[in-house]
C-alpha cells in the first residue's frame, strides 16, 4: 500500500514540476499579483465553509458536553483536516486526530464514532452538491465527448464509495481495527488492552445506535456539508474574475464539480498534487479558457489551502501546549497519539495484505 502511495506521490510531483516549468514561475507569480485582494477574499470565504463543516460534526454529537466549546471543536476539525491534507491517509489520520483533540471533554468512543458519521455525511453532502451542480452545468459538455462519460463514471464511483463506507460502518469497524492491531506487539497498546478493546466496542455501539435513532441528525449534518461544498463554485468565480476572465456561474459549477470528482479519484495523493492545478487546467482548457488560467486558479487555491493548513497545525500546537496531557478513554489509562497512529498503520498494513 505504501509503495503504491509513494509511486503516486512521485508521479504527482513530477507532473507538478513539469507544469510549473512549462508556464514559468514568473507567469504564475504574475497571476498571483493579478488576483490581489481576491485571494484574501477566498481565504475568508473558506472560513465560512470550515464553520459549516464543524457544524456538520457538531450535529452528529447527540449528548454534546456543555464544557466543549464550538471554538475547540472548530480547532480540532481544522487540525484533522491539516493532517489529511499533508499525509496520504485517505482521511483516516485526520479523523483520529479530531477525536484525540477533544478527548478531554468528549469521550474517545463517542468522538471516534461521530467523526466517522460526520465523514460519511460529508461525502453524502458532496454528492448532493455535485448532483445539483452537474444537473445545471453538464449540458456544457457534448454527450459524444469522452470527458462526458468519464464524468458520469466518476460520479457513479463517488456514490459507490460512499455506499461502501456506510456498509463498512455497519460491520463494527473499530472492533475489527482493534483485532488487527492486537496482532502487533505495541507496548502501550498491550498495557491498555482492556480499555482499548472496550472503547472499540463502545464506539461501534455508538455508531450503530446513531444510524438507528438519529437519521434526522444525519440529514442535518449532510446539509451542513452541502452548504460548505456549495461555496466552492463561488470561489472559482471570484478567482476567474480576478484573473480578468468572463466566467458564467455554470462554468464555475462545472469546474468545481468535476474537480471534486478528480480529487476523489486521486485521494491517496497528499496535497491534491494532481487534481488541483492539473485538474483545473484540464477542465478550463476544455471550456475554451487558456490552460495557464486553469493552472493559476489551482495554484491560488493551493495558497488558500496552505494558509488553512497552517491554521490547523497551529491549532494542534496550541492544544498540545495549553491542554493537560491526561487523555483517557474511560477515565483511567491514557491512549496517546502515537498509539492511535500505530493502530491506523496496522489497519493499513492489513488492507495491503
Amino acid at each position: 500500500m505504501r509503495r503504491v502511495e509513494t509511486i503516486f506521490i512521485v508521479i504527482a510531483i513530477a507532473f507538478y514540476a513539469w507544469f510549473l516549468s512549462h508556464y514559468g514561475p514568473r507567469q504564475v507569480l504574475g497571476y498571483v499579483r493579478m488576483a490581489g485582494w481576491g485571494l484574501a477574499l477566498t481565504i475568508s470565504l473558506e472560513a465560512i465553509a470550515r464553520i459549516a463543516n464543524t457544524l456538520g460534526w457538531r450535529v452528529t454529537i447527540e449528548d454534546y458536553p456543555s464544557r466543549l466549546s464550538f471554538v475547540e471543536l472548530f480547532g480540532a476539525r481544522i487540525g484533522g483536516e491539516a493532517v489529511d491534507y499533508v499525509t496520504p491517509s485517505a482521511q483516516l489520520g485526520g479523523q483520529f486526530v479530531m477525536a484525540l483533540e477533544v478527548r478531554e471533554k468528549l469521550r474517545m468512543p463517542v468522538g471516534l464514532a461521530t467523526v466517522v458519521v460526520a465523514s460519511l455525511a460529508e461525502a453524502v453532502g458532496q454528492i448532493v452538491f455535485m448532483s445539483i451542480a452537474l444537473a445545471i452545468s453538464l449540458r456544457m459538455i457534448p454527450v459524444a465527448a469522452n470527458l462526458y462519460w468519464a464524468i458520469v463514471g466518476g460520479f457513479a464511483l463517488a456514490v459507490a464509495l460512499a455506499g461502501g463506507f456506510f456498509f463498512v460502518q455497519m460491520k463494527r469497524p473499530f472492533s475489527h481495527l482493534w483485532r488487527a492491531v492486537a496482532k502487533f506487539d505495541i507496548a502501550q497498546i498491550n498495557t491498555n488492552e482492556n480499555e482499548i478493546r472496550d472503547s472499540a466496542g463502545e464506539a461501534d455501539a455508538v455508531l450503530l445506535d446513531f444510524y438507528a435513532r438519529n437519521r434526522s441528525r444525519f440529514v442535518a449534518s449532510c446539509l451542513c456539508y452541502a452548504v460548505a461544498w456549495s461555496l466552492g463554485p463561488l470561489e472559482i468565480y471570484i478567482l476567474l474574475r480576478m484573473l480578468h476572465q468572463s466566467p458564467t456561474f455554470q462554468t464555475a459549477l462545472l469546474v468545481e464539480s468535476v474537480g471534486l470528482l478528480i480529487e476523489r479519484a486521486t485521494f491517496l495523493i497528499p496535497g491534491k498534487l494532481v487534481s488541483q492545478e492539473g485538474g483545473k487546467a484540464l477542465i478550463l482548457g476544455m471550456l475554451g479558457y487558456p490552460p495557464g488560467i486553469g493552472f493559476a486558479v489551482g495554484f491560488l487555491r493551493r495558497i488558500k489551502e496552505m494558509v488553512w493548513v497552517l491554521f490547523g497545525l497551529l491549532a494542534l500546537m496550541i492544544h498540545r501546549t495549553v491542554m493537560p496531557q491526561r487523555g483517557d478513554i474511560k477515565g483511567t489509562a491514557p491512549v496517546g497519539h502515537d498509539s492511535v497512529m500505530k493502530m491506523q498503520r496496522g489497519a493499513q498494513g492489513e488492507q495491503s495484505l
Side-chain angles (χ1 to χ4, degrees):
M1 188 70 172
R2 292 191 178 187
R3 188 174 301 172
V4 173
E5 292 172 351
T6 301
I7 293 173
F8 281 160
I9 293 172
V10 170
I11 294 174
I13 293 175
F15 177 80
Y16 187 84
W18 174 84
F19 229 104
L20 191 60
S21 63
H22 179 74
Y23 290 101
R26 181 175 298 179
Q27 183 178 359
V28 173
L29 291 176
Y31 284 134
V32 174
R33 287 193 296 268
M34 193 183 298
W37 63 268
L39 182 57
L41 180 59
T42 60
I43 292 173
S44 302
L45 188 65
E46 183 68 13
I48 301 176
R50 304 287 174 128
I51 291 172
N53 287 338
T54 307
L55 285 172
W57 180 17
R58 166 66 178 82
V59 169
T60 65
I61 305 172
E62 184 177 6
D63 297 319
Y64 190 83
S66 58
R67 61 195 185 114
L68 177 59
S69 69
F70 186 81
V71 173
E72 291 174 300
L73 203 67
F74 179 80
R77 170 78 196 189
I78 63 174
E81 289 175 339
V83 171
D84 282 334
Y85 192 90
V86 299
T87 60
S89 60
Q91 295 188 337
L92 291 175
Q95 291 174 7
F96 278 115
V97 169
M98 292 177 200
L100 282 168
E101 293 303 297
V102 296
R103 71 188 186 278
E104 297 290 339
K105 299 179 180 179
L106 182 67
R107 295 173 59 253
M108 194 68 179
V110 178
L112 286 173
T114 55
V115 294
V116 169
V117 171
S119 183
L120 177 61
E122 184 175 8
V124 173
Q126 186 185 70
I127 290 171
V128 170
F129 161 72
M130 289 191 297
S131 300
I132 297 173
L134 290 174
I136 296 173
S137 62
L138 194 58
R139 68 190 68 178
M140 299 176 66
I141 302 177
V143 177
N146 293 331
L147 187 59
Y148 180 93
W149 294 109
I151 293 172
V152 173
F155 180 80
L157 176 62
V159 173
L161 288 173
F165 189 31
F166 175 73
F167 177 80
V168 169
Q169 291 186 33
M170 295 294 99
K171 299 300 180 180
R172 307 186 70 83
F174 294 108
S175 295
H176 288 296
L177 176 60
W178 160 246
R179 283 192 289 270
V181 175
K183 300 175 183 178
F184 297 86
D185 185 18
I186 302 175
Q188 190 171 0
I189 294 295
N190 292 335
T191 302
N192 304 311
E193 180 177 354
N194 292 332
E195 288 82 0
I196 298 175
R197 183 183 61 248
D198 292 344
S199 180
E202 185 179 351
D204 287 328
V206 172
L207 200 60
L208 295 173
D209 180 69
F210 180 90
Y211 288 116
R213 298 190 306 103
N214 294 297
R215 295 175 183 175
S216 60
R217 284 180 175 271
F218 182 74
V219 172
S221 181
C222 293
L223 292 177
C224 289
Y225 285 111
V227 169
W229 290 116
S230 67
L231 295 176
L234 179 58
E235 179 186 351
I236 295 292
Y237 184 85
I238 291 172
L239 290 176
L240 287 173
R241 294 288 296 180
M242 293 296 101
L243 294 176
H244 300 164
Q245 303 299 308
S246 300
T248 64
F249 202 65
Q250 275 187 314
T251 299
L253 284 171
L254 185 62
V255 171
E256 179 67 5
S257 56
V258 176
L260 290 175
L261 290 176
I262 295 175
E263 290 174 14
R264 279 291 177 187
T266 58
F267 66 93
L268 285 177
I269 304 176
K272 306 177 185 178
L273 288 176
V274 170
S275 59
Q276 193 66 280
E277 290 82 2
K280 300 299 184 295
L282 172 66
I283 302 164
L284 285 170
M286 176 197 66
L287 295 175
Y289 293 86
I293 291 294
F295 180 86
V297 168
F299 185 76
L300 290 168
R301 260 201 162 178
R302 184 173 300 282
I303 294 175
K304 175 211 70 177
E305 290 170 352
M306 291 308 300
V307 169
W308 277 96
V309 166
L310 290 176
F311 288 160
L313 296 178
L314 180 62
L316 293 178
M317 183 185 70
I318 292 174
H319 177 271
R320 293 184 178 278
T321 302
V322 176
M323 295 296 290
Q325 298 300 309
R326 296 196 302 269
D328 179 12
I329 290 181
K330 300 186 74 175
T332 54
V335 178
H337 179 270
D338 292 340
S339 297
V340 175
M341 297 310 291
K342 288 175 182 177
M343 290 175 66
Q344 178 197 348
R345 289 196 293 268
Q348 289 182 339
E350 185 178 71
Q351 291 174 0
S352 66
L353 296 176

